[in-house]
Amino acid sequence: MSRMGGAGINPIKAGASPHFREGRVKSLPSFLSVDLRRIKPFSEVTRYGYAVGRIRVLEMQMLNNQRTERLIDADFEGALNILDELDMGDYLAGAKLARDVDVDLTAFLCRVYSTLAEALPRGSIIMDFFLCRYDFHNLKALLKARIEGQDAPQGLLEGLGTIGLEALRRGVENPAELPSPFKEAMEDAAELTSPQELDTLMEKHFLTYRLFLARREGSPFVVDFARASIDLANLKLVIRARLLSKEREFLEAMIVKGGFVPAVNLLDLYADPPEIMAKKLEANIYYSKLLEIAESEDRVVRLSDFDRRSDDQLMDMVRGMKRVSVGVEPIFAYLRARENEVLVVRTILISKLHNIPPAAIEKALRKLYIE
């Protein structure tokens, strides 16, 4: 039986350049190659199927650029009316003061976490990736109160995190009662007397633990996000240490390992004069991109809006996850987008209460996940 003429044609070669069809190129072009190590088994990916289905519905209620523009132009009451179009509007209906806004948005965020947690498969640790931030925040608030001699810690976030406030209070008195890595963070903070150094130390433990969780979850996208977060935090640390004339030993103790930029490279840069340090950063594509985040329009390195630019950089990474339709990545993107959405709404509403003009509000806002 004769074979059909096209049966033996390689469909990739058939659509490739003449050089490739004629065999002059021995392998696929790099843009067609697929790293099989970044592809999970189908059964492992689809275990998040139910949760992904839930968030596809919930995404319809998320903030977009059009609504954001309306919020910026409205007054406080008008902004609340616009938010009534979204699911968070029910939580903000009675808000009058800045404290009301904070309490209501915290309650909404708690609902976001709890709703999604119910839909996640057993064994998933993606919620820990997000919630551990609040554990470190609350632990830092308790320690800072002790350092400053305050009876009532400021800024505690009740209802968020994986460890209750009472358990954290006991852990401050007896670190052995805390699970890792919070116990180790407490031990490292035992001798600190500076609130600023405490902030930096807790950030180090938080980012290190989050990278550990990302690797346990096994998603390359989540790992990349955690590593990029470390790079941004390290760059901010280097610039701040330079501005405050900190010794190299401080940087060695506080720098976070695990990012794309090796910690030793940043330590070597720190020994250079500022102008040489900047030139070396600009010489590398990845470094220069990070440096752009820290520079203002007049090319002076400032930290005033570094956090906003860093968040925008990370949001660009999260937006890239839109092309992933199944697995943990859509869950990750949704949670990160919701956290960012809450921050944007809070910025707008608090600004309205303080009569900040729309142009200034717009400049302070982060990028949204849904454009």
Side-chain angles (χ1 to χ4, degrees), residues 175-176 182-191 201:
F182 308 102
K183 177 175 65 176
E184 289 76 11
M186 274 294 304
E187 292 170 351
D188 288 350
E191 303 300 324
L201 179 66

Side-chain angles (χ1 to χ4, degrees), residues 146-333:
R146 188 172 70 175
I147 290 174
E148 297 176 346
Q150 299 176 355
D151 294 330
Q154 301 295 315
L156 289 174
L157 297 174
E158 192 166 3
L160 296 171
T162 63
I163 306 175
L165 291 181
E166 288 306 316
L168 285 175
R169 286 190 175 96
R170 292 194 300 270
V172 169
E173 301 302 324
N174 182 15
E177 293 188 14
L178 291 172
S180 295
F182 308 102
K183 177 175 65 176
E184 289 76 11
M186 274 294 304
E187 292 170 351
D188 288 350
E191 303 300 324
L192 294 182
T193 57
S194 165
Q196 185 182 55
E197 290 185 358
L198 177 63
D199 287 343
T200 306
L201 179 66
M202 286 298 164
E203 181 79 355
K204 175 183 178 180
H205 279 277
F206 161 63
L207 292 170
T208 301
Y209 182 53
R210 203 168 61 163
L211 178 59
F212 165 76
L213 292 174
R215 285 172 170 160
R216 279 194 60 191
E217 181 61 45
S219 165
F221 295 95
V222 179
V223 171
D224 288 351
F225 180 93
R227 296 185 69 190
S229 300
I230 289 174
D231 288 333
L232 291 166
N234 281 341
L235 178 61
K236 182 178 180 179
L237 175 64
V238 169
I239 296 172
R240 176 183 288 166
R242 172 72 72 181
L243 293 174
L244 297 176
S245 301
K246 292 285 188 179
E247 297 294 333
R248 178 187 169 96
E249 289 72 21
F250 169 81
L251 198 63
E252 289 177 341
M254 296 299 182
I255 202 163
V256 188
K257 297 179 181 178
F260 291 105
V261 181
V264 65
N265 289 17
L266 292 173
L267 290 171
D268 290 342
L269 284 173
Y270 193 68
D272 294 325
E275 60 275 9
I276 301 299
M277 176 180 166
K279 286 182 179 179
K280 287 184 177 180
L281 284 171
E282 291 172 348
N284 181 286
I285 295 177
Y286 183 67
Y287 291 12
S288 63
K289 180 64 176 177
L290 297 182
L291 189 62
E292 287 177 12
I293 296 173
E295 285 185 341
S296 63
E297 294 179 357
D298 55 3
R299 294 186 60 79
V300 175
V301 174
R302 305 182 193 277
L303 295 179
S304 56
D305 64 344
F306 185 93
D307 290 337
R308 177 185 61 80
R309 294 189 180 193
S310 297
D311 285 347
D312 286 348
Q313 173 82 355
L314 294 173
M315 182 52 68
D316 287 338
M317 295 183 65
V318 174
R319 284 175 172 178
M321 295 183 186
K322 289 181 180 180
R323 66 181 185 272
V324 182
S325 57
V326 293
V328 72
E329 290 79 15
I331 308 298
F332 178 91

Side-chain angles (χ1 to χ4, degrees), residues 81-123:
N81 291 333
I82 294 171
L83 290 171
D84 276 339
E85 302 170 8
L86 306 176
D87 50 0
M88 72 168 62
D90 294 337
Y91 291 81
L92 291 161
K96 300 292 183 184
L97 305 172
R99 174 169 174 76
D100 299 333
V101 172
D102 286 337
V103 171
D104 294 344
L105 287 177
T106 298
F108 169 72
L109 199 53
C110 285
R111 203 286 307 272
V112 169
Y113 291 136
S114 61
T115 299
L116 195 53
E118 295 171 357
L120 292 176
R122 181 178 300 178

